[in-house]
Amino acid sequence: MGQAAGMHRYGGILRSQLATLLQYSVSRDSTSLVHCVPECWLPPLYAGHGMLGELVAQHAGQVVVEDVCCRARKNGCNLLSQPLDRLESNLKAAFEKAHQACLSVYDDPPSSITYPYNSTATMRYTLYRPNGLPIYRPEVARNCMARPPACDRLLECGTTCTLAVTQGDQVALANVGDTAAALVSLSDDDVVAKFLTVDHNGRNEQEAQRIAKQHGKMARISEDRGYLSIFVGMWAGYELSVTRALGHKNLEAFGVLCEPAVTTFQLRPEDTCLIIASDGVWDVMDSREAANRVMDVVSGGGSAKEAAKQLVQDTVMLAECSPDGDADNTSAVVLVFE
């Protein structure tokens, strides 16, 4: 394993938040952007969404990495040497544990918050419970009891998660949501990039079929954006861009799962790096373009951190030059293999 580093930049109005990447090592005595046990590296990327998305992402980030590291130590730090079914079971159990930790956010939510986080368009919201339904209402409108303002926000939050586990030439990826990982390779001096994670949203045919078959009486996939859309009960009208995530307490009943997709593969000599990024990157550029930008930095002697930083800066520049003129949460982790 060579280098690994991450970088993020928040756009003006955020749909998501990224938890700070904190170091977790066997001795727990250092800080970095990468979690590790001996010869085993675990770089994660989280993108929270909803009113308390940043808190959920922080809970998820700490728990899932600690749990995987603990399982690695119990296995003699040979996490990827175990049978595939056991590895998948361990990673799914870690995601479930992180999901349960996220639910604690709902037990004692703050009475007031500022949202969106780190934005020029922030507002102060106060927790309010009409008919027992927890919502955050802008303070300027909280006395409006007759009709809830359109800017009310339900207390429902979660986080996407992509975790890479690398050990020697073995790699495992576990993910929920739409943070995605692309493997970058060199073929005849040409840069090739391939997505290895599964996007969990309504545009994924298997996910759409699952929602229709198991939850079709309560929710549907919207035709225009592929969002999960609820049409019954007090959650009617609520939409979510992903069909799997950690931390969704109320949307589990409508099909939002925390079970990750798990992919394993063996690195080849031509494989050069792995890019893990939020949808803020992949909505602006495809995997090939992102790979070229990362390889321009790496082939010029730049570090993984410099490559991740350049990728984020380029993405933000392209997004701000787009017709919308704004950048979504833009976060990336780059692993360079040696």
Side-chain angles (χ1 to χ4, degrees), residues 139-331:
E139 291 190 349
V140 294
R142 63 181 176 177
N143 293 323
C144 179
M145 305 292 290
R147 181 179 181 183
C151 48
D152 279 357
R153 295 182 178 273
L154 291 166
L155 175 53
E156 181 67 15
C157 50
T159 181
T160 65
C161 174
T162 295
L163 175 70
V165 183
T166 66
Q167 192 165 35
D169 62 355
Q170 301 296 315
V171 180
L173 293 167
N175 83 288
V176 290
D178 55 9
T179 50
L183 180 66
V184 181
S185 310
L186 292 178
S187 177
D188 297 326
D189 295 325
D190 191 19
V191 176
V192 178
K194 179 182 179 181
F195 283 116
L196 298 176
T197 46
V198 177
D199 276 350
H200 294 124
N201 55 40
R203 294 188 177 91
N204 179 323
E205 185 175 348
Q206 291 183 335
E207 287 294 283
Q209 290 177 354
R210 177 179 65 81
I211 296 298
K213 181 178 180 180
Q214 300 178 12
H215 305 279
K217 294 182 179 181
M218 300 182 294
R220 64 172 67 92
I221 300 299
S222 63
E223 295 183 1
D224 53 348
R225 296 186 295 177
Y227 282 15
L228 175 69
S229 179
I230 300 171
F231 58 84
V232 297
M234 63 182 181
W235 289 91
Y238 191 93
E239 290 190 328
L240 187 67
S241 63
V242 294
T243 54
R244 300 195 187 206
L246 305 178
H248 280 288
K249 179 179 181 179
N250 299 291
L251 299 189
E252 286 184 276
F254 301 96
V256 180
L257 301 181
C258 66
E259 181 178 329
V262 178
T263 302
T264 61
F265 61 96
Q266 184 174 16
L267 292 172
R268 305 161 300 173
E270 61 266 30
D271 296 330
T272 60
C273 65
L274 185 72
I275 303 171
I276 309 174
S278 65
D279 61 338
V281 173
W282 305 124
D283 287 347
V284 172
M285 62 180 73
D286 59 27
S287 60
R288 174 70 178 274
E289 183 176 357
N292 279 323
R293 292 175 186 270
V294 166
M295 289 304 300
D296 284 345
V297 176
V298 173
S299 61
S303 65
K305 180 178 181 179
E306 291 169 330
K309 180 179 180 179
Q310 188 64 55
L311 178 60
V312 168
Q313 290 177 339
D314 290 351
T315 301
V316 171
M317 179 189 67
L318 290 172
E320 291 181 341
C321 292
S322 69
D324 292 336
D326 195 15
D328 194 3
N329 174 26
T330 307
S331 315

